Amino acid sequence: MGTLDKYLARQNLSAMLTCLGIGVGLYLLSDVFDRLDDFLEAGLGLGTVVTYFLVKIPLIVSQILPAVFLVSMVIQLGMMARSRELLALRAGGVTFGRLCAFFLVYAGAWCLAQLAVAQVVGVHGEAAANRIWAEEVRQRKVERMELPNLWFREGAYVVELKRAWPGRGEAEGAMLLEVDPGGRSIHRIITAEKATAEPGEWSFSGVKVLDPVTFAYEPQATLVLPLNQDLRSFLAIDPNVDPASLPMWKLSGVMERLAASGSNVERLRTAWHMKWSYAFSLAAMALIALALATLWENVYLNLGLSLALTFAYYAVFMLGVTAGQKGLLPAVLGAWLGNILFATLAGARLWWVVRPTLARRLPRPQR
């Protein structure tokens, strides 16, 4: 990295940290006012409250980073134009295309950082915040947590549970389908009023066994089956959590299982591509900031336009995502629509600006 690149990166980092601090502070302030009454009613200590908001910071950063990156670049380029630094660079032989190349590479590095923060640190932080909110604020202890409509498949059995208490290892309203290895026919249909689950041994009571061929059923007081499914593993799934909010690698597994069962996964597929596109929206923001710098050098005007364009970008982004989820657009196109549109418009403007410089540098054909 050359001296100029280090200078530009240091300038941008300074602006980004300032904007990021203001953005996170405002976000946390609004969240504190929104949830403070709940914390006070729950009688939680200061340490728990502080922990709740601290673990949310990575998620907040990942959400506001594209807008912060755009604003920081607009401020940086505006201040450089105001102090005549851009003019001095051009006089020293540094073209605007050279600046564009640096900022695009720089934005690419931030895209990877955004992806890591959102899908690793942010996901774990959100899970920790949700746990504090659910277990300590809302008094939903693990032992009391009730999950409705659980199902899983193990070996020859497809198991459905109407209600389950994973913390206690208990369930009600169980129905089991015993199928052949190919899954083409059902040997038995087993219903049970209650179930007690331990890995390797599930005990059912109030059992009725139905033969789907003769339609004869046999009541049994108890039935023990060698099922290895740990009911407590379902505690990792909050019924109020959308699968689309899972990290990318877990979402991929969920999509594969649902697709294998014949479910429509277009919404989840769009959400998977959306995670990539949102991370790489920083590259689109870099193009927008560079394009604005070629139109006006007034930092205040460009700052106002950048905020307006941020809202416009999010509107188009969500419009594309919604269209992808509803099947109106392919999942990839819907998720990337905002990036494609704004990057194309900003890139066209930049190409128009740097084209004369490139034309002068390209060798002319010999006659």
Side-chain angles (χ1 to χ4, degrees), residues 177-254:
L177 304 179
E178 186 179 353
V179 299
D180 63 9
R184 296 182 178 180
S185 62
I186 300 175
H187 291 170
R188 293 191 301 173
I189 301 176
I190 304 171
T191 59
E193 296 177 0
K194 296 183 179 180
T196 302
E198 290 294 337
E201 182 178 285
W202 281 51
S203 178
F204 300 90
S205 60
V207 179
K208 293 181 180 179
V209 181
L210 174 67
D211 187 334
V213 177
T214 63
F215 294 101
Y217 74 89
E218 175 188 355
Q220 298 182 15
T222 60
L223 177 66
V224 178
L225 294 175
L227 299 176
N228 293 314
Q229 176 66 46
D230 187 355
L231 197 58
R232 293 173 180 82
S233 64
F234 287 101
L235 288 172
I237 304 176
D238 190 332
N240 297 318
V241 173
D242 190 346
S245 64
L246 295 172
M248 296 173 63
W249 53 90
K250 289 186 178 180
L251 183 57
S252 298
V254 171

Side-chain angles (χ1 to χ4, degrees), residues 47-207:
T48 303
V49 177
V50 172
T51 301
Y52 172 81
F53 288 109
L54 284 179
V55 296
K56 289 188 70 175
I57 289 179
L59 177 65
I60 297 171
V61 170
S62 68
Q63 289 177 342
I64 67 174
L65 191 57
V68 167
F69 188 74
L70 172 60
V71 170
S72 67
M73 273 196 62
V74 167
I75 293 175
Q76 178 186 6
L77 293 172
M79 297 304 295
M80 290 179 68
R82 188 174 183 178
S83 62
R84 301 292 187 268
E85 288 182 87
L86 292 181
L87 180 61
L89 289 174
R90 286 197 295 269
V94 179
T95 64
F96 192 74
R98 168 69 174 80
L99 292 180
C100 292
F102 164 77
F103 279 112
L104 289 178
V105 173
Y106 179 73
W110 273 107
C111 290
L112 299 177
Q114 156 78 352
L115 189 65
V117 170
Q119 299 304 310
V120 181
V121 186
V123 167
H124 290 296
E126 184 180 17
N130 290 339
R131 182 191 59 77
I132 294 173
W133 183 259
E135 295 181 16
E136 301 192 39
V137 179
R138 293 302 187 189
Q139 301 298 319
R140 284 173 52 195
K141 298 297 183 183
V142 170
E143 293 77 9
R144 302 176 185 176
M145 184 178 293
E146 177 183 323
L147 301 181
N149 302 321
L150 297 183
W151 68 272
F152 62 91
R153 180 171 182 174
E154 180 179 327
Y157 296 98
V158 177
V159 183
E160 180 186 7
L161 306 172
K162 291 190 179 298
R163 294 195 302 169
W165 294 267
R168 305 201 307 253
E170 298 176 359
E172 290 183 354
M175 183 175 72
L176 298 86
L177 304 179
E178 186 179 353
V179 299
D180 63 9
R184 296 182 178 180
S185 62
I186 300 175
H187 291 170
R188 293 191 301 173
I189 301 176
I190 304 171
T191 59
E193 296 177 0
K194 296 183 179 180
T196 302
E198 290 294 337
E201 182 178 285
W202 281 51
S203 178
F204 300 90
S205 60
V207 179

